[in-house]
Amino acid sequence: MKKINKKLLATYLSLDNEKANQYLAKLADEILAEIVASDDNDEIFKALEVLEEFVYKVTTQTIAVARYIFDHPHQPKIIKILDGSIEGKRPDQLAEKAIELLNKIRYIAPEEVVPLLAERIRFKDEKTTAKAVEILKNVSRYDYNFLSKVKTYGPQKMVLDFVKKWNPDEQVSNFEFVQVVTGELLSSSTSGSSAESMDTVTFHSGAVQPTEFLKTLRREVMDMEAELYRKVQDPAQKLRIVRVLEEAIRGPSNVNYGDDLAQMLDEDGAYLLDLYRRMLFDNARRLIASFAIADEIEKRLYWYYRDEKRPNAAAAQQLRREILEDESYKLFKLLAGDEIVYREEGGWDKAEQIRKAEIEKLIGAVERPVEPWLARLNKIADQTNLIGQWQFRFFGIFLTKLAQTKPAVAKELFDRALEGGSVKQFSVNFLSGFREINRLDLWDDAVQRIITRRDVPLVAAIVRSLIDERSVDLKATIRERDLAILKQIVWMSGDFAFLNEYPERNPNLHLAIINALMRNYERDPAMIEGLIVKELRTHPEYDNVFVHSFDFGLLKHWIDYSKFSDKGIDFLIRWLIKLPELDWQIQELVATLGEKDSRILYRVFWGRIELGARQKQKQKTHSIADRERYEAVPYHFSDGLRKFFAQNSGAKDIVQELISHATTKWSTINWDIGHLLQRAGYSLRQAFGDFLNAGDDDSLLKAVGLMNFVEGGELDLCMEIAGRTDNTRILRSLRSLLYATGVVSGEDGIARAYDSKTEAMKGYLENTNPQIAAFAKEMHDSFIESAQVERKRVVEEQQLRKIEFEG
Amino acid sequence: MEEAIIEDYDDKYPNIDGHIEFLNDNGSSTSVRLLFQIKGTEQQGLASYSCPKDFLSYCYISHDPIALIFVNIPDNKVYWQLIDRSYITSVLGIQDLASFDQETKNITFSDDRVIDKNAPTLLGICAKRWAEMLGSEEYQREAKATMRLVTGQEEDQRILHNKLASAQESATDEIRQTKQLEKQPIKETFADLERKFLERTSDLPGKMMLYHSFVYALRPFYLDLRNQQKRVKLLGLLNITEAEERYIVENLTKADLLGRVGSLIFVTNKEQAAVSLDHYFEAGVIDPEQVAELFSDEEDQ
């Protein structure tokens, strides 16, 4: 690809000189031709970066380039590097870059940019769609800078006209595009940022000017959305439209606004209330909208029109009353209504009391035949995909209490629910309810029905119903039969052999299993230990799930891993070694095991360090992106682990044994051991005592190799080593260690760090050991020089930013 | 005059690298010498030298003519320029070296002063100087002969003296006129040089403005090794030497048109730089495409 000085192009762009413009146009043509001729994504990406510098002058070519990039994806190339290979630019990265270029010409060539964005959004590629949506928002939003200078709603009108040219079917197939545009066009806020100096950015928020043009535009948008609402069938799409329309009554954020804008919002509010009514009810005033939509509108009416003095408040409150009066909605509101609305209407405790009382009343009303009840409950449970799962807390409470209060009716309801419908997903509430009142006969029958139906998703409900979080006597509540069921589920055998036929991932089931095993550990430690080992060994794909559950089990004091058998401990050590990382939660498990036997902790860490070194060696030829992530020693140590190294009597032996593995050559082993010492807060001087006492170059080299090159070594220790040798390799390493600054802050942070190091070196200049004094002098002078060079670099950088600054 | 002997001085003399001694037709020495100092460059296209003031002072007081020989190695060219009082005062414009406060002065070489291609021009100048000296000796011989004819006769001696004086005056006139005639070609060359020099120096403000524009267009612009390649290209494009660049930077900085931080130089007003560049593009002095091509290497980025 053609190499070009980008700053020069930026300068040409700023000139607006005819000859320079001609050259830029010619260059853009050449870039387009090169992109067409190339199948190398990395080269094409570079060409896009060049084009980016002067994209404003060459919109035609930019559109053509973007179009070509979208239509002609190339496979990324594999780039060989010293230590393996990496993957080059992917097609989606090129597409994202092309969309960025379109963003830069969105106001210059909106007619060409907008259709391309629509196409990308329809394309539904996760990354490029998200990028295209972001740019579409930029096109549609009321931009502070644009409105300050151009003072028209031209871009908004253009985008709306573009959408309105689509017929209803096209609008449905471009649903996402339409919603993004609508949301922006109905906004009453303007926003943008400006920079008055190179070090400051001002974020501006303001309000739109409610001109007649804007008022007409907003009405057009609302009408279009109402029409689309009637057209779409998907409840989720309908809900989305309702939510987008809410923007029409929302005032500008963080800004006071005038009466004229308030009036516009009030007029649009009245108009929206009318639209809402038509969405919610039919001509016979029956609720036709889904509960999710009614819930959304009802909540919105509540929040916006609590103040009765607010314009439209009376009409809004009337509409809300009509929603609340609907019998089916009343049931929905009780079982899955927003808790916050309940709380606001009378306080949290009171709301909880009222709701529970109403649920008790409802349970009293539930009688046979169960079918009508099931239909009503299914209609509510159908909304789980549309509204937050957390809103269904009382729905679950209702079913559990129903199972406890009216177990026979509940069992019948459950049996019917198994045949189909959304209530089925709340099976755990039935099962838990039966167990809590000790109606294990109903529980057994329910389990048998699940087995008979080979209903894999409901197996998790069986397992979860065995996690009794109350303080109970496990021997009394968990039968041998229950343990046998757990065992069959873990082994996927017997009645539960059908689990083997389910190929899809089922993290819910395995989360339930590991928690149930931990919860019931004390019921039969030996057996449960075996099941835990089996579960961990069989399903490494759920290691993440298990790691987090272990911590929960420890926290709840459900399980004591240190009571595991030697065989179980051996397995846990192997499992801990192969985990890609030891995150905070699992470190507590390691520390717990270490408290039982410090050798366990040594075996875990040395095993991980060794495995890390082996993996690095083995994966040398892999692409960096393809390499398995493995962090032998965690970056952050948990309190428990730090406490172990600080207080445990076995810690010293562990440290010395780990250090004995240090090598004179550079190795990840040295790195990891050194890192462990630092993270554990272990004194390096104490750790390296043997090396220092030996004093030979090999020992000193090992000590230096164990110090962390990122965060530097202990100064005094470094100087002591410098005083004991004239080995150039050791001294070179020491220089590197002393130069490490770690994390610094501020533009001249590195220079200040060098100043501190210069000061620190002064303490050694008069050292009685001439080798230390000479080394200190060398480093002292070097730090002074480095600080000067760094300061020069900083002022140059600052000046460069000033030059490039465009206010 | 047939040939010349060229003798190299090694480093025995501070300002002189050697001399050229001119020979008679019969091969004997004319005792006329042209001293020279040799300087060289490896920079392609460079035809100027930043000459130290000390050397100019030496040339000014020297009785022997001194030439500055400038060798451009990559161009395979050897330029020469006679540095004498008139060159220093007229061409270089230095009326008083004692009060001249610059350390160096730029000397620009011309393509019509290149050895090999126009060695006859150099030899011609040497021959003219020889002829001047020879004419003066003939006059002395004629005078002595005339004196011998009038010995013992006072009146005649007076008449002869007058005649001699008249002849002497006449000879002096002739010699002066001859000298004037002899110098005419040199004057023409000098006039030519002067015109060219003025042309070139009249470009200097323009080059300064261009340099100023390019400091902006090619930002970041460092005066150290980070920008070596970019700067060399710019000097070539503007046809200026490093010494001229220093002069330009110094003057632009004094005029507050350029700023400097560390090794970074920058324009103090980028709109001014853009106006200049726009003008030079429009006037066709530089071509945007050629400039882009010239500074297209990675190192220029």
Side-chain angles (χ1 to χ4, degrees):
Chain A
M1 285 284 165
K2 205 176 180 74
K3 287 177 186 163
I4 296 289
N5 183 320
K6 289 189 217 158
K7 285 283 183 292
L8 200 56
L9 296 180
T11 307
Y12 285 7
L13 178 75
S14 68
L15 295 181
D16 203 15
N17 174 282
E18 193 182 336
K19 288 182 181 174
N21 290 348
Q22 283 169 0
Y23 166 67
L24 294 178
K26 187 181 167 210
L27 180 62
D29 287 337
E30 288 173 11
I31 288 173
L32 173 59
E34 285 179 343
I35 288 174
V36 170
S38 174
D39 61 357
D40 182 334
N41 288 345
D42 296 85
E43 287 291 321
I44 294 173
F45 196 86
K46 278 185 197 166
L48 292 177
E49 286 181 322
V50 173
L51 188 62
E52 190 174 19
E53 292 294 331
F54 60 102
V55 66
Y56 315 97
K57 288 278 183 216
V58 289
T59 52
T60 310
Q61 292 92 331
T62 304
I63 297 290
V65 164
R67 156 73 51 215
Y68 188 84
I69 299 279
F70 297 149
D71 292 346
H72 298 84
H74 301 295
Q75 284 302 307
K77 67 177 180 182
I78 301 300
I79 304 160
K80 292 212 179 303
I81 57 169
L82 281 179
D83 198 18
S85 60
I86 55 169
E87 192 181 67
K89 294 280 181 208
R90 299 185 309 275
D92 61 285
Q93 289 174 302
L94 258 61
E96 273 188 70
K97 189 73 193 173
I99 294 172
E100 280 174 21
L101 298 192
L102 295 179
N103 185 40
K104 288 175 185 284
I105 57 170
R106 65 185 191 275
Y107 291 137
I108 306 170
E111 307 278 353
E112 291 82 13
V113 169
V114 169
L116 273 175
L117 293 176
E119 189 184 299
R120 283 297 95 191
I121 292 170
R122 270 200 311 276
F123 186 60
K124 287 191 167 54
D125 168 77
E126 195 181 330
K127 285 180 183 164
T128 54
T129 299
K131 192 79 189 173
V133 165
E134 181 192 325
I135 308 309
L136 180 63
K137 281 184 179 175
N138 288 346
V139 176
S140 316
R141 77 187 165 98
Y142 299 102
D143 182 82
Y144 165 82
N145 289 311
F146 185 88
L147 287 172
S148 311
K149 293 186 176 98
V150 186
K151 301 184 196 310
T152 77
Y153 296 119
Q156 287 75 25
K157 177 68 176 157
M158 180 266 143
V159 180
L160 178 60
D161 288 346
F162 178 78
V163 171
K164 286 177 76 179
K165 276 183 198 160
W166 280 328
N167 63 40
D169 287 337
E170 286 173 325
Q171 286 187 354
V172 173
S173 57
N174 287 284
F175 185 79
E176 179 64 26
F177 184 101
V178 177
Q179 296 317 305
V180 169
V181 168
T182 306
E184 294 299 327
L185 298 192
L186 287 179
S187 169
S188 56
S189 300
T190 65
S191 60
S193 57
S194 62
E196 278 71 40
S197 76
M198 67 166 192
D199 296 322
T200 59
V201 174
T202 309
F203 293 95
H204 301 270
S205 296
V208 292
Q209 284 297 314
T211 61
E212 287 307 313
F213 183 88
L214 182 67
K215 287 177 184 174
T216 308
L217 184 139
R218 286 166 61 91
R219 286 297 168 88
E220 283 182 45
V221 172
M222 290 165 78
D223 289 342
M224 185 182 74
E225 278 289 82
E227 192 56 42
L228 191 58
Y229 179 89
R230 282 188 283 277
K231 177 79 183 165
V232 297
Q233 297 302 316
D234 181 350
Q237 287 187 326
K238 281 185 184 286
L239 183 60
R240 174 88 185 273
I241 290 172
V242 167
R243 285 177 175 156
V244 168
L245 277 172
E246 286 165 10
E247 195 62 40
I249 51 172
R250 198 168 284 149
S253 48
N254 305 321
V255 62
N256 290 323
Y257 51 95
D259 292 343
D260 50 354
L261 180 56
Q263 189 189 345
M264 182 185 84
L265 293 172
D266 292 340
E267 287 168 2
D268 285 346
Y271 194 74
L272 184 62
L273 286 176
D274 188 44
L275 292 181
Y276 277 165
R277 182 178 292 284
R278 279 184 272 154
M279 289 172 177
L280 288 164
F281 300 107
D282 63 8
N283 291 334
R285 310 193 82 173
R286 284 179 306 217
L287 184 68
I288 51 170
S290 68
F291 289 141
I293 287 171
D295 177 60
E296 178 67 31
I297 294 176
E298 187 245 311
K299 272 191 288 191
R300 205 53 53 195
L301 295 175
Y302 171 73
W303 289 116
Y304 267 77
Y305 297 103
R306 277 179 299 175
D307 181 359
E308 291 180 358
K309 289 177 191 160
R310 188 166 185 164
N312 305 318
Q317 287 171 2
Q318 171 59 30
L319 182 59
R320 182 169 180 246
R321 273 195 299 276
E322 288 174 41
I323 299 171
L324 291 172
E325 281 166 9
D326 183 274
E327 285 302 319
S328 62
Y329 186 75
K330 274 185 190 167
L331 184 62
F332 167 83
K333 177 114 174 123
L334 173 64
L335 298 179
D338 190 337
E339 287 187 56
I340 295 171
V341 177
Y342 266 94
R343 186 189 64 183
E344 287 290 321
E345 286 178 335
W348 189 267
D349 291 339
K350 195 180 168 194
E352 188 90 355
Q353 281 173 15
I354 292 171
R355 212 162 173 179
K356 281 187 173 165
E358 285 179 10
I359 284 174
E360 292 287 347
K361 205 171 146 192
L362 178 67
I363 289 168
V366 178
E367 294 296 345
R368 293 188 177 89
V370 296
E371 283 75 10
W373 283 101
L374 183 63
R376 295 171 72 188
L377 293 174
N378 269 334
K379 196 176 167 191
I380 295 169
D382 283 346
Q383 311 298 305
T384 47
N385 293 329
L386 297 175
I387 56 180
Q389 190 77 31
W390 54 270
Q391 281 194 212
F392 286 84
R393 187 167 75 90
F394 282 95
F395 192 87
I397 290 172
F398 162 73
L399 293 178
T400 307
K401 282 191 179 297
L402 183 69
Q404 291 168 341
T405 316
K406 292 183 173 177
V409 176
K411 179 64 172 51
E412 201 176 325
L413 195 65
F414 172 80
D415 293 347
R416 291 281 176 279
L418 277 186
E419 290 163 13
S422 302
V423 169
K424 197 171 82 163
Q425 61 191 305
F426 294 89
S427 295
V428 65
N429 298 103
F430 289 102
L431 295 171
S432 297
F434 296 148
R435 288 195 74 89
E436 283 174 27
I437 58 164
N438 209 23
R439 285 298 303 271
L440 299 176
D441 57 324
L442 296 179
W443 187 87
D444 285 341
D445 187 70
V447 168
Q448 191 53 51
R449 282 170 187 272
I450 291 170
I451 292 169
T452 307
R453 300 183 74 86
R454 303 162 72 87
D455 196 327
V456 173
L458 289 197
V459 175
I462 299 173
V463 180
R464 281 173 63 198
S465 69
L466 292 171
I467 306 169
D468 193 338
E469 293 202 30
R470 298 170 305 169
S471 179
V472 290
D473 177 8
L474 288 172
K475 287 211 179 333
T477 57
I478 299 293
R479 301 166 296 167
E480 285 297 326
R481 176 178 158 69
D482 297 328
L483 290 178
I485 287 173
L486 256 182
K487 186 176 179 181
Q488 285 183 24
I489 292 171
V490 170
W491 281 84
M492 296 186 186
S493 63
D495 290 342
F496 293 90
F498 65 88
L499 289 172
N500 289 302
E501 295 159 19
Y502 190 72
E504 291 170 38
R505 275 178 64 82
N506 195 352
N508 279 340
L509 173 61
H510 293 279
L511 176 65
I513 289 174
I514 200 70
N515 278 297
L517 293 175
M518 287 190 302
R519 174 65 188 103
N520 298 304
Y521 173 75
E522 291 294 349
R523 173 68 177 76
D524 188 343
M527 181 200 170
I528 299 283
E529 177 190 319
L531 292 180
I532 289 175
V533 168
K534 167 68 181 165
E535 179 68 7
L536 297 187
R537 179 184 286 136
T538 319
H539 298 287
E541 69 272 26
Y542 299 117
D543 277 350
N544 260 347
V545 172
F546 302 146
V547 162
H548 290 92
S549 300
F550 274 149
D551 184 48
F552 187 65
L554 280 173
L555 201 69
K556 287 271 191 181
H557 304 289
W558 284 345
I559 189 165
D560 183 353
Y561 301 101
S562 64
K563 288 183 183 167
F564 271 33
S565 66
D566 288 349
K567 212 172 149 187
I569 295 277
D570 280 350
F571 174 80
L572 278 182
I573 290 171
R574 287 199 301 279
W575 184 75
L576 288 166
I577 287 172
K578 74 176 177 54
L579 286 178
E581 62 181 335
L582 292 181
D583 68 10
W584 192 271
Q585 289 99 336
I586 208 69
Q587 285 177 37
E588 287 304 305
L589 169 64
V590 177
T592 306
L593 294 173
E595 291 299 339
K596 181 192 178 191
D597 177 0
S598 58
R599 290 294 302 165
I600 296 175
L601 198 136
Y602 166 78
R603 285 169 63 195
V604 169
F605 274 111
W606 175 237
R608 292 185 63 83
I609 291 168
E610 258 194 316
L611 181 62
R614 276 204 307 276
Q615 280 203 357
K616 186 162 172 56
Q617 194 61 32
K618 198 169 74 183
Q619 296 186 358
K620 249 185 171 179
T621 53
H622 293 199
S623 153
I624 285 175
D626 292 340
R627 285 181 192 175
E628 283 174 36
R629 186 177 53 86
Y630 190 82
E631 188 185 57
V633 178
Y635 189 77
H636 295 291
F637 270 31
S638 71
D639 293 341
L641 217 45
R642 287 178 74 87
K643 191 176 155 198
F644 173 88
F645 280 100
Q647 296 176 4
N648 193 286
S649 57
K652 191 181 174 210
D653 290 340
I654 291 177
V655 167
Q656 289 307 318
E657 195 164 352
L658 285 171
I659 286 175
S660 70
H661 295 293
T663 62
T664 54
K665 287 185 179 171
W666 191 91
S667 155
T668 56
I669 289 176
N670 290 353
W671 170 276
D672 284 331
I673 296 171
H675 184 60
L676 184 144
L677 296 178
Q678 282 195 325
R679 290 295 146 199
Y682 207 81
S683 157
L684 297 184
R685 177 171 289 280
Q686 191 185 344
F688 298 161
D690 289 347
F691 288 144
L692 293 176
N693 289 338
D696 59 291
D697 278 357
D698 270 3
S699 299
L700 297 180
L701 205 52
K702 283 179 185 174
V704 172
L706 287 171
M707 284 194 257
N708 189 312
F709 279 85
V710 175
E711 301 193 6
E714 286 181 13
L715 175 62
D716 208 37
L717 193 57
C718 288
M719 298 309 287
E720 187 176 333
I721 293 172
R724 289 181 179 223
T725 183
D726 54 4
N727 181 300
T728 52
R729 197 170 146 207
I730 296 173
L731 293 177
R732 195 167 58 233
S733 296
L734 288 173
R735 285 184 197 105
S736 301
L737 283 167
L738 291 173
Y739 252 100
T741 58
V743 179
V744 296
S745 61
E747 280 184 305
D748 61 344
I750 294 177
R752 282 185 285 110
Y754 289 153
D755 290 344
S756 304
K757 286 171 183 287
T758 307
E759 283 303 310
M761 279 302 138
K762 284 180 182 168
Y764 298 94
L765 292 174
E766 306 294 332
N767 197 287
T768 51
N769 180 331
Q771 272 179 278
I772 292 179
F775 188 69
K777 174 79 171 70
E778 177 202 328
M779 294 308 296
H780 173 268
D781 294 351
S782 180
F783 284 135
I784 289 176
E785 192 184 337
S786 298
Q788 284 170 349
V789 170
E790 183 57 25
R791 285 207 162 82
K792 182 184 165 195
R793 186 193 66 75
V794 168
V795 292
E796 286 178 353
E797 289 288 326
Q798 285 172 336
Q799 187 57 45
L800 276 176
R801 289 215 316 278
K802 272 187 202 168
I803 295 168
E804 294 304 325
F805 170 69
E806 288 180 26
Chain B
M1 195 174 70
E2 266 311 312
E3 288 176 26
I5 295 169
I6 299 174
E7 187 169 339
D8 183 10
Y9 289 167
D10 296 319
D11 286 320
K12 280 184 284 187
Y13 300 95
N15 287 306
I16 300 301
D17 293 323
H19 75 251
I20 303 171
E21 188 170 346
F22 297 98
L23 305 177
N24 276 316
D25 294 351
N26 59 8
S28 62
S29 171
T30 60
S31 299
V32 173
R33 296 185 310 168
L34 175 69
L35 305 179
F36 64 83
Q37 184 170 43
I38 299 178
K39 293 292 172 190
T41 181
E42 290 184 349
Q43 188 180 321
Q44 198 163 18
L46 185 65
S48 61
Y49 170 65
S50 192
C51 186
K53 180 183 166 184
D54 288 349
F55 179 71
L56 294 176
S57 300
Y58 186 82
C59 294
Y60 191 85
I61 59 171
S62 170
H63 293 292
D64 289 313
I66 301 174
L68 180 61
I69 294 176
F70 183 74
V71 184
N72 187 308
I73 298 164
D75 287 352
N76 202 22
K77 272 185 180 173
V78 182
Y79 300 92
W80 62 271
Q81 176 60 55
L82 197 64
I83 313 292
D84 56 13
R85 286 187 183 195
S86 78
Y87 180 82
I88 292 166
T89 54
S90 303
V91 179
L92 296 184
I94 304 171
Q95 300 305 323
D96 180 8
L97 270 166
S99 62
F100 183 61
D101 61 359
Q102 292 177 27
E103 291 297 312
T104 62
K105 183 73 183 172
N106 199 54
I107 291 177
T108 305
F109 297 92
S110 166
D111 275 342
D112 55 16
R113 291 254 187 280
V114 176
I115 294 175
D116 279 337
K117 285 187 181 167
N118 61 359
T121 312
L122 175 63
L123 289 174
I125 284 184
C126 295
K128 280 187 183 71
R129 291 191 71 85
W130 164 238
E132 280 176 35
M133 295 190 69
L134 196 63
S136 160
E137 279 180 14
E138 277 174 352
Y139 152 75
Q140 284 172 19
R141 278 201 296 274
E142 186 188 340
K144 282 177 187 168
T146 310
M147 283 176 75
R148 275 197 297 274
L149 289 173
V150 296
T151 301
Q153 296 175 15
E154 279 195 12
E155 182 55 22
D156 289 346
Q157 191 178 8
R158 186 185 58 79
I159 292 166
L160 275 171
H161 182 78
N162 288 340
K163 278 178 78 177
L164 181 59
S166 173
Q168 209 167 7
E169 193 177 334
S170 171
T172 305
D173 282 343
E174 284 166 8
I175 287 166
R176 282 179 178 163
Q177 285 183 55
T178 308
K179 280 184 178 173
Q180 291 303 312
L181 288 171
E182 284 170 353
K183 281 187 177 176
Q184 206 166 350
I186 299 172
K187 274 213 162 186
E188 281 176 8
T189 307
F190 175 73
D192 196 30
L193 268 177
E194 190 176 43
R195 181 179 50 78
K196 284 180 183 172
F197 179 81
L198 288 172
E199 275 174 12
R200 293 195 178 195
T201 52
S202 68
D203 277 353
L204 200 56
K207 287 181 177 176
M208 289 172 89
M209 290 178 83
L210 265 173
Y211 187 89
H212 177 257
S213 307
F214 276 108
V215 166
Y216 174 62
L218 299 174
R219 64 195 183 277
F221 203 92
Y222 299 101
L223 289 175
D224 57 23
L225 288 174
R226 281 175 284 183
N227 267 167
Q228 188 67 10
Q229 192 177 336
K230 192 154 72 180
R231 276 181 55 228
V232 167
K233 285 180 187 172
L234 182 59
L235 298 193
L237 179 71
L238 303 184
N239 193 23
I240 57 173
T241 63
E242 285 185 44
E244 282 173 323
E245 184 195 25
R246 282 197 293 278
Y247 173 79
I248 288 172
V249 170
E250 196 175 304
N251 280 282
L252 290 176
T253 309
K254 273 183 193 166
D256 202 26
L257 293 165
L258 283 185
R260 181 168 179 170
V261 166
S263 299
L264 177 78
I265 56 169
F266 54 89
V267 296
T268 51
N269 184 328
K270 54 191 179 189
E271 282 75 23
Q272 289 173 352
V275 167
S276 300
L277 206 57
D278 181 39
H279 167 77
Y280 286 116
F281 281 166
E282 207 52 57
V285 176
I286 46 172
D287 175 53
E289 183 169 0
Q290 284 176 356
V291 171
E293 291 290 331
L294 182 65
F295 297 102
S296 65
D297 292 344
E298 291 288 345
E299 292 82 352
D300 298 333
Q301 307 299 304

